[in-house]
Amino acid sequence: MLGDFRRCGFLLMLAAATCTAADRPARDLNGTWEFRTDPHDVGRAQGWFQPGVPFTHSIQVPGAWNAQGFSFESPDDLDAYEAQRLAEQTSLNDRGILGVQRESERLFHTFPGPAWYRRDVTIPVDWAGKTPWLVFNGVHREVEVWINGHPAGLHRSYLIPFRIDLSSPEFAAETGQTLTITARVDARRDRDLDPLMGCLDTLDFLYVTWGGIHQPVYLEGISPTRISDVFLIPDLNASAAEARITVEGPKPDDLEVAIEIFDADGTQVSSVHRRVEADASETVLVAPIPNARHWSPASPHLYRTRVTLQSAGIEIDTRSVRFGMREFRVVDGRFLLNGQPIFLRGYGDDAIFPNTIAPPADKDEFRARLARAREFGFNFVRHHSWTPPEAYLEAADELGIMLQPEFPFAYRWDLPTTPEAQRSALEQWESLIRLNRNHPSIVSWCMGNEQYDSFPLAPAMYSVAKRLDPTRPVIDSDGCGFQHADRDTLDYLVVQFDEGRSIGHGDGKYDIPPTITKPVIAHEMGYFVTLHDLGQIDRFERGLRPYWLHQTRDLANRNGVLAEYPEWLSASYRLQAACLKTNIEAARRSRLSGTSIWLFHDYPNCAEGVVSMFGQAKGLTPEAFRAFNAPTVLLLDIPRRNAWCGETLEPRFVVSRFEDPPSAASTLRWHLDEAGQTLASGQLANLVIPSGGLQELPPISLDLPALDHAATLTLHAELVDGPTTIANSWNLWVYPRRTEQPPLDGLRVSGFLPLRAILPEAIDIPTGPIPTDTNLLVTTTLDPDARHFLEEGGRVLLLDPAPTFAVEPTNFRLSSWDGGGPSGTVIDTTHPALRAMPTEGWCDLQFYPLIQDSKTTLLSGLSVKIEPLVRCIDRPTRLADRAYLFEVAVGRGKLLVSSFNFDRALDSQDPAAAFLLDQLIRYAHGPDFTPHASLPTQALPDGSAP
């Protein structure tokens, strides 16, 4: 019998998927339930579903039990569980996945279940003629239910509500009767039966297990003849909505269905009805909506449809469904929203809820979360391998945020392999679409994350999606390559570009092959990971344990850098801001149809968010972020950001305009300033700016000032169209040529020919002893002759620390999620070698040619403490001393070491590189060269360092 209940419960849930409980009588079952953990899984055998069995605790529903303080009470039970989990995760180690530590290090309270819930409910006396249905809107991840000790069904899906028909005689569900509901919940996954594995389960790479009744529970009174499904299909051309209605139960001959459509203010705008045919699988009605208002991010207008069943003039059943007059299509390689091209300004959502673990069942919380994203200019969210709950979708409908929910196929190694798991996946996919297809915020259906070469179920899932919802595009994977462009199960492409290395600075990062005819979104764009904000430790209260913050704080304390850490954090945020702005602007100048910034909220142990896990801004205010992440943005097309004083540049402004109406007479005003003082200005008038793409404006002639010092200049621009002003700005750096500097005597160079172009007085020397009249040796190798010269009192500028010192390769961009790269940079602006460089204490884009494809020197292994002149802030899991530039006394000599990529930068004729190298040489040649740290001769690495 239990097997029948399992199957029937799932099918009944399928039939009732899209309906809400707004119009039927309902009894809220949220709040306090009796609770009991079952760590040894003995409750079923011992009959805990029977009346009178003691339950020792209480718990709040909805919510995760972990976030309410429930965990293993026995340390031995915890140890046994974690040993089993670590053994199960052994295969993940080879993949470099982060989540292979003990769960108790990651959660305040560790317990996977099973656990038991119980409460009583009385059937209202005024429910005569209606059947009580028990509805669990979300349980993670398996629930088995008993009513008055009788089995009522088993359900494996945290995606889909579990609906139980209580009409069976053994339940005695009569009006006025009290029922005892007992539910056994188990968060452990049986892969043979359960196909789901996504961010909601594991918080992506954390690989933790949480459980509980995490969404509302209620009792609903339903008529035997009932509306089981309503699907509203907008027709913008006809200004009408087609309603597809499914009716279940006995169908009398005079059964009619009527729909009324109401505007947001409650005004009825349409009403139609028709007879329900007894043999019809669905009844279709078309309701005209005169002068229908469209749903869009700018104007998220919603209508409410009231669907009523009547027989003999008596109302039998009523349903209410909200929908929007919204059309989202793929046409000619573009996304069209309501017939107009749109750019998806998106971000990733990894289901990060630090204190509740489970998504809260509170629409106001989701409204606040999404409103925060809107402040930063976003209009689109991609949900990594999870589908948000109803409250989230309703908030997105109301705020005008477009969504791409995903089926929980997170990674290829977690795909279902058994026939039962595959069958379950198909059924849940169908139910998910039926459940959510009336939400205008959902603009596409996605089957999973990074299934690059697709997977066996994809064609069947694609067919199901198109049959159930022909109004939306469908993709089998968020994450693919251009080689997959012809795949039938991809209506558009979400492509991974060079996110591990590039920030889109002058490298054509987002170039799309001309043969690609489908829209392209940048998959998981950015990964710009900052240092962790240690000040947030106390904000983690009961859900996620902030182990990464404790580890970083303890490490900073051990390494003696806790006092410097706030400065480093600020520098890290500044570098992230520069990377985000540069990268997003590169995307907006390309043929992309959308972006998916990774992420909006910081991720545990990987602070790659635009804001913290609690929504706090990091390096950019919302206003600053919107300058390059809004419907209309001004962009700058300029080949380089470094220039010589007195040069003339011809930058070109580009307007990326979507959603906003076109303009026939806009004015572009620009001015160049240094520290607030205007140096040049101009304007372009009567500009025609269309909507739905890019518009290149005529180039301007920008005469850079002939300054006698290096300086940071800022180019400000604003596009004025009536009362609307769009503004943006960019830093440029200018450097004076050193043509009138006195020559340096005794300057010799070994192995670095580009120096002759900067300082023609430099004398090349062959291998062998260094001449005694050498005042400064510039070399790329500290060979035995150079070492002897140094130890005997010579001055050396070493332009390649390897192999003398241990080095690590690096790039300009911040570290990505896997820990490579820098966490920021710090410059000693008071040091005589650097004070002429126009910096704010960190390496902004002027250093891009010098840092890209460069190295950093690892100083932590040396026998003395050396403070870098230009520090590469190390990843927070190590916080080692890494330097782009440092100095040290060796023996009687002085050594200045740079790991900047001067070769590459000078080859590109970068003025910043030429200017900085000149500064370093003049410093090392002059009287100010006085290193504070001293390295004994015998402690100088011998060149065998890795």
Side-chain angles (χ1 to χ4, degrees):
M1 182 175 180
L2 182 57
D4 292 336
F5 269 113
R6 292 177 183 177
R7 183 66 177 167
C8 292
F10 198 87
L11 291 178
L12 290 170
M13 170 272 297
L14 283 173
T18 57
C19 296
T20 65
D23 299 284
R24 292 169 175 163
R27 174 65 57 88
D28 183 358
L29 298 183
N30 297 327
T32 303
W33 287 55
E34 296 178 274
F35 186 75
R36 183 175 181 180
T37 61
D38 187 7
H40 300 137
D41 199 6
V42 297
R44 191 189 289 111
Q46 294 180 1
W48 290 9
F49 47 83
Q50 296 293 346
V53 175
F55 276 35
T56 53
H57 301 286
S58 62
I59 194 170
Q60 292 300 303
V61 171
W65 60 55
N66 313 70
Q68 298 185 57
F70 291 98
S71 56
F72 282 105
E73 296 179 5
S74 163
D76 291 340
D77 288 344
L78 175 62
D79 289 343
Y81 168 70
E82 295 205 306
Q84 174 190 348
R85 287 288 288 159
L86 289 173
E88 293 171 351
Q89 295 170 19
T90 301
S91 63
L92 304 179
N93 296 339
D94 295 338
R95 298 189 177 101
I97 291 174
L98 302 176
V100 290
Q101 288 85 13
R102 292 166 57 92
E103 283 189 23
S104 57
E105 296 174 0
R106 297 168 176 268
L107 295 175
F108 280 112
H109 305 285
T110 300
F111 183 65
W116 293 70
Y117 293 73
R118 186 172 67 193
R119 74 163 290 168
D120 293 340
V121 60
T122 300
I123 309 299
V125 295
D126 58 352
W127 283 19
K130 297 187 180 296
T131 299
W133 285 63
L134 177 62
V135 183
F136 292 85
N137 265 347
V139 182
H140 193 270
R141 50 185 308 129
E142 174 185 292
V143 59
E144 188 173 359
V145 178
W146 290 261
I147 305 295
N148 293 340
H150 297 281
L154 181 146
H155 181 69
R156 292 188 186 94
S157 176
Y158 55 80
L159 281 178
I160 308 301
F162 183 29
R163 303 177 61 87
I164 303 173
D165 180 354
L166 301 182
S167 61
S168 297
E170 65 264 33
F171 300 148
E174 302 292 337
T175 57
Q177 295 293 318
T178 297
L179 307 180
T180 298
I181 304 167
T182 307
R184 175 188 177 274
V185 177
D186 197 341
R188 299 170 298 179
R189 180 191 182 200
D190 183 343
R191 292 191 58 168
D192 290 341
L193 302 174
D194 187 345
L196 306 184
M197 180 55 70
C199 273
L200 193 68
D201 302 272
T202 68
L203 308 180
D204 204 352
F205 282 156
L206 283 186
Y207 279 87
V208 296
T209 305
W210 63 271
I213 301 174
H214 65 95
Q215 290 298 310
V217 184
Y218 57 91
L219 199 67
E220 185 178 22
I222 301 179
S223 300
T225 300
R226 59 191 177 274
I227 303 161
S228 64
D229 194 15
V230 179
F231 181 28
L232 277 301
I233 301 177
D235 185 340
L236 272 56
N237 291 330
S239 195
E242 177 183 285
R244 299 181 181 179
I245 300 165
T246 304
V247 177
E248 289 188 346
K251 297 177 182 177
D253 291 340
D254 62 348
L255 186 64
E256 283 195 339
V257 62
I259 63 172
E260 302 166 279
I261 298 180
F262 299 89
D263 211 336
D265 62 2
T267 302
Q268 187 183 96
V269 298
S270 187
S271 176
V272 295
H273 64 92
R274 66 171 298 176
R275 184 182 171 206
V276 177
E277 302 294 338
D279 57 351
S281 60
E282 65 180 14
T283 301
V284 178
L285 300 90
V286 176
I289 306 176
N291 303 312
R293 296 178 60 185
H294 297 170
W295 184 98
S296 71
S299 179
H301 192 79
L302 294 170
Y303 290 93
R304 181 174 67 89
T305 298
R306 185 171 184 266
V307 184
T308 305
L309 282 181
Q310 291 185 347
S311 176
I314 299 174
E315 186 177 292
I316 299 174
D317 194 21
T318 302
R319 305 281 33 192
S320 285
V321 176
R322 287 199 312 181
F323 74 103
M325 293 294 288
R326 193 270 296 135
E327 182 185 75
F328 188 85
R329 297 189 299 149
V330 170
V331 179
D332 296 331
R334 299 187 298 177
F335 293 124
L336 298 185
L337 177 67
N338 303 332
Q340 298 299 315
I342 191 165
F343 189 91
L344 303 183
R345 305 184 308 277
Y347 66 88
D349 188 330
D350 265 13
I352 298 166
F353 304 97
N355 284 330
T356 62
I357 307 177
D362 185 343
K363 186 167 69 174
D364 287 342
E365 290 195 34
F366 290 125
R367 282 186 63 90
R369 184 183 181 96
L370 293 171
R372 185 62 167 159
R374 285 207 58 155
E375 290 178 2
F376 283 79
F378 291 104
N379 66 3
F380 173 70
V381 189
R382 178 241 164 162
H383 301 90
H384 183 308
S385 62
W386 73 291
T387 296
E390 179 70 16
Y392 185 118
L393 301 179
E394 288 184 356
D397 292 343
E398 294 165 6
L399 290 173
I401 299 287
M402 296 177 290
L403 309 178
Q404 178 192 287
E406 288 180 11
F407 198 71
F409 286 167
Y411 300 104
R412 286 163 284 179
W413 53 85
D414 275 323
L415 288 170
T417 57
T418 66
E420 177 64 18
Q422 291 172 349
R423 179 198 63 79
S424 175
L426 281 172
E427 289 183 341
Q428 292 187 67
W429 172 251
E430 177 171 342
S431 298
L432 184 70
I433 294 173
R434 289 185 183 275
L435 181 69
N436 295 314
R437 58 186 173 173
N438 285 313
H439 288 285
S441 56
I442 296 177
V443 296
S444 67
W445 301 113
C446 177
M447 303 176 204
N449 170 69
E450 295 180 357
Q451 310 295 329
Y452 289 103
D453 295 318
S454 194
F455 55 100
L457 278 179
M461 293 175 71
Y462 184 88
S463 178
V464 165
K466 288 298 186 181
R467 171 174 56 83
L468 294 176
D469 182 8
T471 71
R472 291 176 172 91
V474 181
I475 56 174
D476 62 22
S477 173
D478 193 295
C480 65
F482 289 124
Q483 69 271 25
H484 305 123
D486 294 333
R487 195 155 78 213
D488 292 339
T489 48
L490 289 171
D491 288 344
Y492 57 93
L493 309 178
V494 190
V495 175
Q496 180 80 73
F497 290 84
D498 188 13
E499 299 301 343
R501 179 178 179 274
S502 171
I503 64 168
H505 185 58
D507 56 10
K509 175 179 181 179
Y510 295 112
D511 289 347
I512 296 174
T515 55
I516 300 301
T517 59
K518 293 180 179 180
V520 180
I521 298 175
H523 172 73
E524 298 187 7
M525 191 173 92
Y527 298 126
F528 301 134
V529 180
T530 66
L531 285 182
H532 305 310
D533 181 359
L534 302 182
Q536 294 187 349
I537 287 179
D538 292 339
R539 299 197 65 172
F540 293 83
E541 299 172 347
R542 56 191 181 275
L544 297 183
R545 187 189 296 275
Y547 68 93
W548 63 94
L549 298 181
H550 289 286
Q551 290 172 353
T552 301
R553 184 179 62 182
D554 293 346
L555 182 61
N557 191 43
R558 288 197 305 271
N559 289 1
V561 298
L562 200 56
E564 295 94 330
Y565 194 90
E567 177 191 5
W568 294 1
L569 180 65
S570 175
S572 185
Y573 283 179
R574 288 185 172 200
L575 180 55
Q576 186 200 43
C579 290
L580 282 166
K581 177 175 168 63
T582 304
N583 204 61
I584 293 175
E585 289 184 348
R588 290 295 291 262
R589 292 195 305 268
S590 73
R591 288 178 51 218
L592 282 172
S593 294
T595 57
S596 189
I597 302 298
W598 221 251
L599 296 159
F600 183 60
H601 290 93
D602 276 347
Y603 179 79
N605 79 6
C606 190
E608 59 193 335
V610 174
V611 300
S612 75
M613 294 178 73
F614 301 96
Q616 299 163 307
K618 292 168 68 174
L620 289 163
T621 65
E623 181 182 19
F625 204 93
R626 288 197 308 272
F628 51 87
N629 193 48
T632 300
V633 292
L634 265 175
L635 308 167
L636 182 66
D637 186 1
I638 191 169
R640 52 193 170 93
R641 301 282 284 273
N642 296 331
W644 293 112
C645 293
E647 263 197 278
T648 298
L649 302 180
E650 291 192 348
R652 185 186 296 269
F653 294 105
V654 179
V655 181
S656 173
R657 189 172 205 139
F658 294 85
E659 301 180 64
D660 293 334
S663 170
S666 292
T667 299
L668 179 97
R669 301 190 183 107
W670 62 268
H671 67 275
L672 182 72
D673 69 32
E674 179 190 6
Q677 180 180 355
T678 298
L679 305 175
S681 63
Q683 72 174 33
L684 299 171
N686 298 317
L687 299 172
V688 176
I689 311 295
S691 185
L694 296 174
Q695 174 72 8
E696 291 190 359
L697 305 185
I700 65 171
S701 180
L702 186 61
D703 296 324
L704 301 177
L707 303 176
D708 62 357
H709 60 276
T712 303
L713 309 181
T714 304
L715 180 60
H716 300 270
E718 58 181 23
L719 184 69
V720 181
D721 180 13
T724 303
T725 299
I726 305 297
N728 203 350
S729 63
W730 306 266
N731 283 343
L732 308 176
W733 291 269
V734 295
Y735 307 87
R737 297 183 187 271
R738 292 299 187 181
T739 55
E740 298 181 2
Q741 288 286 334
L744 299 175
D745 61 303
L747 176 61
R748 286 181 166 82
V749 58
S750 173
F752 191 69
L753 296 180
L755 182 61
R756 295 297 301 275
I758 301 172
L759 296 171
E761 67 267 30
I763 300 172
D764 296 332
I765 59 173
T767 57
I770 309 302
T772 57
D773 62 346
T774 299
N775 291 326
L776 176 64
L777 172 65
V778 181
T779 181
T780 55
T781 305
L782 202 62
D783 60 20
D785 292 312
R787 289 171 64 96
H788 178 74
F789 172 74
L790 173 65
E791 294 165 3
E792 293 301 313
R795 299 176 176 217
V796 176
L797 171 57
L798 179 62
L799 295 179
D800 188 350
T804 304
F805 298 93
V807 299
E808 287 184 345
T810 192
N811 283 307
F812 181 87
R813 56 157 290 135
L814 277 164
S815 168
S816 57
W817 67 269
D818 55 359
S823 293
T825 50
V826 177
I827 299 173
D828 183 352
T829 57
T830 65
H831 193 277
L834 296 168
R835 59 191 173 205
M837 287 294 289
T839 76
E840 296 181 348
W842 63 287
C843 294
D844 206 338
L845 283 172
Q846 64 173 317
F847 282 89
Y848 184 89
L850 287 163
I851 292 179
Q852 189 72 356
D853 297 320
S854 69
K855 307 167 185 173
T856 59
T857 307
L858 285 170
L859 303 179
S860 298
L862 299 178
S863 60
V864 297
K865 174 73 173 178
I866 300 176
E867 186 65 29
L869 305 183
V870 181
R871 173 184 292 275
C872 172
I873 302 171
D874 196 27
R875 53 188 176 269
T877 55
R878 187 175 63 174
L879 293 180
D881 285 331
R882 295 171 66 183
Y884 290 112
L885 183 69
F886 70 96
E887 62 182 0
V888 63
V890 178
R892 293 180 301 167
K894 303 172 184 179
L895 178 65
L896 181 63
V897 181
S898 165
S899 62
F900 287 124
N901 192 343
F902 277 110
D903 257 335
R904 177 183 184 273
L906 292 174
D907 185 61
S908 68
Q909 301 184 352
D910 175 50
F915 181 81
L916 178 60
L917 183 57
D918 177 80
Q919 292 293 300
L920 297 182
I921 289 172
R922 294 184 185 280
Y923 164 73
H925 188 275
D928 293 330
F929 189 15
T930 54
H932 295 296
S934 180
L935 190 66
T937 300
Q938 64 273 20
L940 183 69
D942 61 5
S944 60

